[in-house]
Amino acid sequence: MIAPATPANEAERLNSLRQLDIINSMPEEAYDTITELASYICKTPIAVVNIVDSQHNWFKSKYGTEITGSPRDVSFCGHTILEPDNLLEIPDAAKDERFIGNPFVTGENPIRYYAGVPLLDNKGLPLGTLCVYDFDEHTLDEKQKKALKALAKQVELLFESRRKNKILEELKGELDENNKILKEFASTVSHDLKMPLANMILTADILKVKYSNKIDKEGMDYINYLKHSGLTLSDYINGILDHYSNNRANTGKVEEFFLNDMLEDIIDLLQIAENCEINLPDNNLKIIGNTSAIGQIFMNLISNSLKYNNQEKIIIEIDCTENKDFFNFSVSDNGIGIAKEKQAGIFDLFTTVAEKDRQGRKGHGIGLSTVKKIVESLGGNIRLTSSENEGTIFEFSIKRYNI
């Protein structure tokens, strides 16, 4: 018997194998289907997806045997991986000097036939084999060999899919951790800023009341500017806290309500000017859902339609439909619109489109990101249709509750 040699790239090969993290993983139907097909096509009683580690072979999938692996120094597959580009076929192991005296050839139910195809990673490193065994002398015809190689290619695709999924899981874990840190940081900083900011705004009001007859117009303008800046920063901080707070879908109350009743309450809160026309849906849809979450969505979208509008008369149209699975809504306006090249990132945090709103103030780019987050937490999605200077339509859906 001749023990298999060690490949020249063994260190790289083992590193790739460890990154795959497949040894001792649970059985999977995708692999088991391949070994069963390999046995059927090659007309052999045994087929195995074998992983070659530093000292042992481990069977990721096996058909026709209860053995789960073997020492590498007596393995057939240890020889197979030495020629990564070739199928290794042993018609009669009892007559091959590499396997004469091998315990699998001389023991109970001795193996006589073996054929194996190396399983390569995306760099061409052999990680294991797809192999078939028989207790009798055997050979494969060309069609069988071609089929066995094709099945091996499918195993390689499964390996690559596993590798990519692991990378995605690791990235997701890192992203979740980073988001957690960012959320904690934003919350801490925002809360720490709110008290001194409130004091600054209050001090500006006190200065105006107590010293209005002692400060000239320029001085009062500075005080007004100080207060305005404080209020702007306060809005920004509240937006940050709102964005990173728990999903409203998880904290709000699910109840039955009429959409138009909610919209009328929102319009009252926004104190709509006389030059604004808001047309509610013709059908006062009865909705079962999270009132605070849905209200926050409409509050933000309607507010944006009011702020980013340069028309003498503002017109906002709200519509709704329903189907078996979703409520579907739209909010359209005749405002400034959004240029095509800026639409892709409109829902990204801190992304702003317009330089200033109707009142000459610059937005913070938090509202629409929060809206998207809430809509998705409600099981829906949101999209926009817009042309510059021709208005914007926001369409969003929420999944129906059954209570």
Side-chain angles (χ1 to χ4, degrees):
M1 187 189 82
I2 301 174
T6 301
N9 56 9
E10 180 72 353
E12 294 176 80
R13 192 187 72 78
L14 292 176
N15 184 55
S16 178
L17 188 58
R18 291 188 183 96
Q19 290 175 359
L20 188 62
D21 190 29
I22 196 170
I23 294 177
N24 295 325
S25 60
M26 296 297 291
E28 296 178 57
E29 185 180 358
Y31 292 92
D32 293 341
T33 299
I34 290 173
T35 50
E36 185 175 358
L37 276 172
S39 172
Y40 175 78
I41 291 169
C42 296
K43 302 189 185 316
T44 59
I46 299 173
V48 168
V49 171
N50 180 39
I51 308 299
V52 182
D53 201 358
S54 58
Q55 301 295 327
H56 297 88
N57 290 351
W58 177 75
F59 296 167
K60 170 60 181 172
S61 174
K62 59 187 187 297
Y63 180 82
T65 181
E66 294 303 314
I67 297 173
T68 58
S70 68
R72 181 174 170 179
D73 59 359
V74 296
S75 71
F76 289 74
C77 298
H79 291 279
T80 306
I81 65 171
L82 297 176
E83 297 185 36
D85 298 324
N86 299 321
L87 179 151
L88 175 63
E89 185 176 34
I90 312 295
D92 188 350
K95 298 176 181 177
D96 190 302
E97 63 176 347
R98 291 169 292 184
F99 304 106
I100 294 173
N102 185 296
F104 288 103
V105 178
T106 60
E108 186 178 355
N109 296 321
I111 296 296
R112 296 290 296 277
Y113 176 77
Y114 168 88
V117 179
L119 300 172
L120 312 181
D121 69 4
N122 56 5
K123 295 181 180 177
L125 297 170
L127 306 182
T129 63
L130 172 62
C131 52
V132 293
Y133 300 88
D134 200 344
F135 303 115
D136 299 311
E137 187 175 345
H138 195 95
T139 56
L140 301 181
D141 61 31
E142 290 305 314
K143 288 184 177 180
Q144 289 172 317
K145 290 179 181 178
K146 184 176 180 180
L148 189 61
K149 290 177 181 178
L151 290 174
K153 183 60 67 176
Q154 294 304 308
V155 177
E156 291 175 355
L157 292 175
L158 290 174
F159 283 179
E160 187 60 21
S161 177
R162 179 185 179 86
R163 191 183 302 276
K164 289 179 179 178
N165 285 338
K166 281 192 63 61
I167 292 172
L168 288 175
E169 287 173 6
E170 291 171 1
L171 289 174
K172 182 180 182 298
E174 292 177 7
L175 183 61
D176 288 344
E177 181 62 24
N178 288 339
N179 282 340
K180 179 183 176 183
I181 293 170
L182 181 59
K183 179 179 177 180
E184 292 172 352
F185 174 78
S187 180
T188 300
V189 171
S190 298
H191 278 109
D192 289 348
L193 285 174
K194 288 188 78 172
M195 184 56 69
L197 189 59
N199 290 336
M200 185 178 76
I201 295 169
L202 181 61
T203 301
D205 283 336
I206 291 173
L207 287 172
K208 287 175 66 176
V209 172
K210 192 170 183 179
Y211 299 102
S212 60
N213 60 342
K214 298 180 181 180
I215 300 175
D216 60 14
K217 183 179 181 304
E218 185 178 7
M220 291 300 293
D221 288 342
Y222 282 131
I223 292 174
N224 288 330
Y225 177 75
L226 179 66
K227 181 178 179 180
H228 174 74
S229 297
L231 291 171
T232 299
L233 184 55
S234 180
D235 289 342
Y236 182 78
I237 290 171
N238 289 332
I240 287 285
L241 290 173
D242 189 49
H243 181 82
Y244 284 111
S245 64
N246 291 328
N247 286 340
R248 292 176 181 270
N250 297 328
T251 59
K253 182 180 179 182
V254 175
E255 57 187 353
E256 184 178 275
F257 63 93
F258 286 95
L259 177 62
N260 286 11
D261 296 347
M262 167 184 279
L263 293 173
E264 287 171 357
D265 289 340
I266 291 172
I267 291 169
D268 289 340
L269 285 173
L270 290 173
Q271 297 181 339
I272 305 302
E274 292 183 1
N275 67 332
C276 178
E277 176 184 322
I278 299 182
N279 297 315
L280 302 184
D282 293 333
N283 55 327
N284 190 9
L285 195 66
K286 182 189 289 186
I287 294 176
I288 299 173
N290 185 320
T291 52
S292 62
I294 298 170
Q296 176 67 16
I297 295 168
F298 275 108
M299 176 77 79
N300 196 293
L301 294 179
I302 295 172
S303 178
N304 277 358
S305 291
L306 294 170
K307 290 192 294 184
Y308 299 105
N309 198 309
N310 56 4
Q311 300 297 321
E312 188 172 329
K313 182 172 184 179
I314 299 172
I315 300 176
I316 300 173
E317 301 278 351
I318 301 173
D319 198 9
C320 64
T321 60
E322 61 179 324
N323 56 40
K324 185 178 64 161
D325 299 313
F326 292 93
F327 292 109
N328 304 294
F329 308 95
S330 68
V331 178
S332 61
D333 61 56
N334 63 337
I336 63 175
I338 302 169
K340 294 288 184 185
E341 64 272 14
K342 296 182 178 180
Q343 292 179 14
I346 192 66
F347 296 108
D348 295 341
L349 186 61
F350 304 128
T351 296
T352 57
V353 174
E355 288 296 321
K356 294 181 179 180
D357 65 14
R358 191 179 181 91
Q359 305 300 322
R361 294 175 295 198
K362 182 172 176 60
H364 304 304
I366 299 173
L368 286 179
S369 176
T370 302
V371 164
K372 183 173 186 289
K373 182 180 176 184
I374 296 173
V375 168
E376 290 178 347
S377 74
L378 293 171
N381 57 70
I382 185 168
R383 66 188 181 92
L384 70 91
T385 305
S386 184
S387 296
E388 200 166 8
N389 299 316
E390 294 183 14
T392 301
I393 303 173
F394 283 98
E395 297 173 283
F396 67 95
S397 61
I398 61 171
K399 197 167 183 61
R400 297 181 71 115
Y401 280 95
N402 293 311
I403 60 174

